[in-house]
Amino acid sequence: MERKLASEVPIRTETTSFCRLCEAFCGTVISVEDGRPVKLSPDRDNPHARGHICVKGAAIVDIANDPDRVLRPLKRIGGPGEFIEVTWDEALDDIAARLKAILDADGPEAIATYFGNPGAFSTDTFMSSQWFLQRIGSTKFYAAGSQDSTSRHLASWILYGVAFRNAIPDLPNCDLLIITGANPLISHGGLLTAPRMRHDLDAIAERGRVIVIDPRRTETAKRYEHVAIQPDADAWLHAAMLKVMIRAEVVDEAFLAAHCTGWDDLRAAVMQVDIDEAAAATGVPRATIEQLALDFAAAPRAAIYGRVGLCRGRFSTIANLLLDAINIAGGKFGKPGGSTFGAFPLAEGTEPLSGYGEHRTRIGNLPVVAGLMPAAALPDDILEPGDGRVRAMMVIAGNPVLSAPGGERLERALESLDLFFSVDLYVTETNRFAHYVLPAATFLEKDDIPLIGLSHMVRPYIQYARAAVPPMGEAREEKAIFDDLVARMGLGSIAPTPGLRWLERQGMSITPLTLVELALRNGPLGKQRGDEALTFAKLAEMPHGMMLDLPLTYDGWAEHIATENRKIRLWHPIVADEFARFAAQQAPTGGDGMLKLFSQRKLKSMNSWMHNPEKLARSQEPALLVHPADAARYGLSDGGQASVANEHGAVEVAVEVTEDVVEGAVCYPHGWGHNGGWRHANTLPGANINLLLGLGPEAVELVSGTTFIDGIPVTVTPIAA
């Protein structure tokens, strides 16, 4: 047997880091051989995740090494998807020249960005993308958030004065947790950072109860108590629960009087809701609604938590606001075991203070929430003539053709642009229309801290992770790309303010992480602690990260309210208008021959961009979940094919008959229907259900710009074999 020389044996090293696929930020160990990542394992010494990672996190190594990954700049030379490799200089020179010409001729609003996953949880990607657009002078930051969170941000802005301020359930001390519109065993928590979610929920169930309200018997619902509800009925349920609590006189009137404004108006609006109508709209029996509300009120340590399922219906803003109102009126806010703000390790004011309506869309006059433009307005912003028409588009880590409404119209829009470039890992269904695709670095190739989760952690924690490997191929971090572009445009630096640019001229390197470190130094763990101050240098010596000796914000939470009087704002003209619309809306009861389509999240899938690794995709077969009664009613068979249609289009899907989905509704995962540059993903079954969503103002909740995705009326008809 041939023996390898010592010099031929691969050199393996290990680097500790954390995953940036979602808000759990699980600790990882990355094994590297000869400069290439070969394995991602759980970091069992990480005090935050304590050995937990999910299958998607481990698959980032397969993505980093994927033969279909873009590792050199690509220039389009023919039809969509026809690219050749070019040098960085050639790509950046041409992009910068075209951007400058458009900027000079049409102004900054002619340039827009679309931002999505997998960059949302990377500090460099998220912040530098915004800096680049701000430096150009444009406000058009379109984002995937309008598909899953802007109505939550609007509710938070109304309540607390800050769009990114969210109360979280105190999982370690909670005895009764109601989960609505969320599947945390699969999502690992949204706007809630708790990587060992199953252990937390099991502990609550052992002490008391975990109740899951969902149209599908999800993985979380199967493990705990399940209350089935119709899609897009959360506003009715939450209003009815609050009314039951008011009638039973179990609301905390003293807290409401001392710390809130608008309670009288909210109470009057809620009292107009008919509980029997709410029961009909939700499919939840009146007795169950009443018992849920009374059990919640009676539990000393209880919280109600919701996420994406609350954010994509016709009344998603008031559904989210009412959820918080149940916690607040029920005496659970700011209390151990209840719902409260997380810790704030960074200096106050570090979070973006973008709120509501600072800008509006050119087409449809839709509001911008938390600085995020509604994606439903993007195709028309490109296609419709007029001042401010988008002529140049940058897509960062997003695939709106599959993940946003109006994919077919968006394709036509993207093809019409004077300049379209993308920074991504793959040639996607979206950027196959780009003039250039620039290779991005994965999170394995970046320094980072878990910035976006710092104020949502049930157990406050921080880690400074160094890049495990240098950028592979010719990939670059976004900050470096954007710096190079603005320099070629004659704008100097992407640093967003003159003060920061002045610091750069003094020789100080200003990066997103630089600002985070400054915020850490000026926060509660910083210079006020003297020699014990926490710095990145100290964090770098703690390879597994550290738990922070900061409690959740039980006391002093009012310091983090940004309303004029630092009181929680339960009523606002937006809420008044939405309740008027809600009161005029007839409660849905079904029986019209239509089924209500809603989406689902799968453990091995993340939107559209993780379907190429075979380890993840080989066991995934997207199917339309249909209740047996509906299958019998419409002639659908398990394993058969069906057409799902409405006035916007039709798609063909496989059918799975199951009692896991509520009668009257059907469920299908989004992000499928591939035809991009990922060869394995293109072979997989599945359809793009977002083709059934509308476009423009009719496709969104007007006050938040959030796309209607859950509860879409459709017809489902069998297709003969």
Side-chain angles (χ1 to χ4, degrees), residues 420-507:
F420 171 24
F421 72 98
S422 169
V423 182
D424 212 313
L425 304 174
Y426 290 102
V427 174
T428 68
E429 286 70 26
T430 299
N431 64 27
R432 61 195 291 264
F433 295 93
H435 297 104
Y436 290 94
V437 180
L438 306 179
T442 68
F443 72 72
L444 302 176
E445 299 150 53
K446 295 182 178 184
D447 298 354
D448 214 342
I449 73 162
L451 175 66
I452 204 168
L454 286 179
S455 62
H456 300 142
M457 294 182 173
V458 298
R459 297 173 183 86
Y461 151 89
I462 195 168
Q463 183 174 1
Y464 178 46
R466 305 306 298 267
V469 293
M472 298 174 66
E474 295 181 17
R476 295 184 182 179
E477 296 185 38
E478 284 80 0
K479 170 68 162 54
I481 296 171
F482 301 143
D483 265 335
D484 207 337
L485 276 176
V486 297
R488 291 167 194 250
M489 294 173 68
L491 296 175
S493 162
I494 69 165
T497 66
L500 291 177
R501 293 194 288 276
W502 180 84
L503 289 174
E504 284 188 322
R505 288 195 294 271
Q506 305 307 305

Side-chain angles (χ1 to χ4, degrees), residues 236-367:
W236 277 272
L237 176 66
H238 296 170
M241 288 178 64
L242 190 53
K243 180 174 182 176
V244 170
M245 293 165 61
I246 294 168
R247 278 186 167 179
E249 299 183 348
V250 291
V251 298
D252 190 341
E253 295 286 0
F255 183 93
L256 291 163
H259 300 294
C260 303
T261 61
W263 169 240
D264 289 343
D265 292 312
L266 182 61
R267 177 172 53 196
V270 165
M271 292 303 289
Q272 298 301 310
V273 176
D274 185 281
I275 298 178
D276 288 322
E277 286 188 7
T282 60
V284 180
R286 176 179 181 134
T288 302
I289 294 174
E290 292 173 334
Q291 198 62 53
L292 272 173
L294 296 176
D295 287 351
F296 177 83
R301 295 172 177 256
I304 179 170
Y305 161 75
R307 191 52 197 102
V308 173
L310 302 187
C311 292
R312 310 198 297 190
R314 290 166 298 156
F315 299 100
S316 52
T317 294
I318 58 174
N320 277 286
L321 184 137
L322 285 167
L323 179 138
D324 282 31
I326 290 172
N327 282 317
I328 293 162
K332 317 303 182 189
F333 182 81
K335 307 287 179 60
S339 175
T340 192
F341 298 143
F344 293 92
L346 303 183
E348 186 70 18
T350 302
E351 292 171 296
L353 294 179
S354 299
Y356 179 78
E358 292 96 343
H359 311 287
R360 302 188 78 88
T361 62
R362 185 177 69 92
I363 306 298
N365 196 36
L366 298 173

Side-chain angles (χ1 to χ4, degrees), residues 29 77 110 177 269 453 469 496 522 524 545-546 621:
V29 176
I77 57 168
L177 179 65
V469 293
N522 288 283
M546 65 175 292
E621 296 181 3

